[in-house]
Amino acid sequence: MALVNEYKTYHPKREDPWKCEEDIYTKTNQIDQSIQVLQDAISKFALCPKCWLRYADLMMDQGNYNEAAIYLKKLATNPISAESVNMAYVFYLDGLCRMTLWQQTDEYQEEEYDEKTVKAIYRCFRKALNHSD
């Protein structure tokens, strides 16, 4: 952790030190601290694709799909994200998130599917498959 704190000191405008700290907490099974570090980074930086992706991933693991959707949308609509993260994975998670949220609706239970919703989900998965990553 001392190295991470030095990393933050020498690179205060980069998200990487925050992601490193999150990695340490995740690998030591301290998920709550991981989430807190990511939330801190997200509030500190206007653009932090690595933290957004990891946060969305953790939120999906915890079943908080609405929260994950916010950051997946940011990743998918920000062209700079492609420089830092695997966009195929972003689109895959986005498709899973949309599908799960849709399955929790009354519309899904009635088995009368909105074509627009279904196409949006398929489009996410198709982007994931076709992406160069």
Side-chain angles (χ1 to χ4, degrees), residues 4-5 7-8 17 21 28-29 39 41 49 55 61 74 77 80-81 85 89-90 93 96 107 114-115 123 126 128:
V4 168
N5 290 328
Y7 194 8
K8 284 182 181 180
E21 184 177 0
T28 58
N29 202 26
Q39 288 171 337
Y55 185 71
D61 287 347
K74 284 184 175 194
T77 58
I80 296 173
S81 297
V85 298
Y89 186 61
V90 170
L93 280 183
L96 285 179
E107 174 194 339
D114 176 37
E115 185 177 336
R123 194 169 27 259
R126 196 170 33 254

Side-chain angles (χ1 to χ4, degrees), residues 15 47-49 52 74-85 87:
E15 73 171 313
L47 178 71
C48 53
W52 289 343
K74 284 184 175 194
L75 283 160
T77 58
N78 193 320
I80 296 173
S81 297
E83 297 173 8
S84 302
V85 298
M87 291 306 291

Side-chain angles (χ1 to χ4, degrees), residues 22 25-26 30-39 58:
E22 182 275 328
Y25 285 130
T26 297
Q30 300 177 59
I31 302 303
D32 291 338
Q33 288 89 340
S34 292
I35 292 170
Q36 185 60 53
V37 168
L38 292 171
Q39 288 171 337
L58 287 171

Side-chain angles (χ1 to χ4, degrees), residues 59-126:
M59 289 298 99
M60 288 183 64
D61 287 347
Q62 294 187 346
N64 193 345
Y65 297 98
N66 290 316
E67 184 76 6
I70 293 167
Y71 294 97
L72 291 169
K73 182 176 181 179
K74 284 184 175 194
L75 283 160
T77 58
N78 193 320
I80 296 173
S81 297
E83 297 173 8
S84 302
V85 298
N86 182 333
M87 291 306 291
Y89 186 61
V90 170
F91 293 127
Y92 172 72
L93 280 183
D94 192 22
L96 285 179
C97 187
R98 289 174 188 241
M99 185 174 62
T100 304
L101 285 170
W102 174 56
Q103 288 174 335
Q104 295 172 351
T105 65
D106 292 335
E107 174 194 339
Y108 181 79
Q109 303 305 325
E110 295 172 7
E111 296 186 16
E112 292 181 19
Y113 307 139
D114 176 37
E115 185 177 336
K116 183 178 176 183
T117 304
V118 174
K119 282 185 177 183
I121 293 168
Y122 275 112
R123 194 169 27 259
C124 289
F125 288 122
R126 196 170 33 254

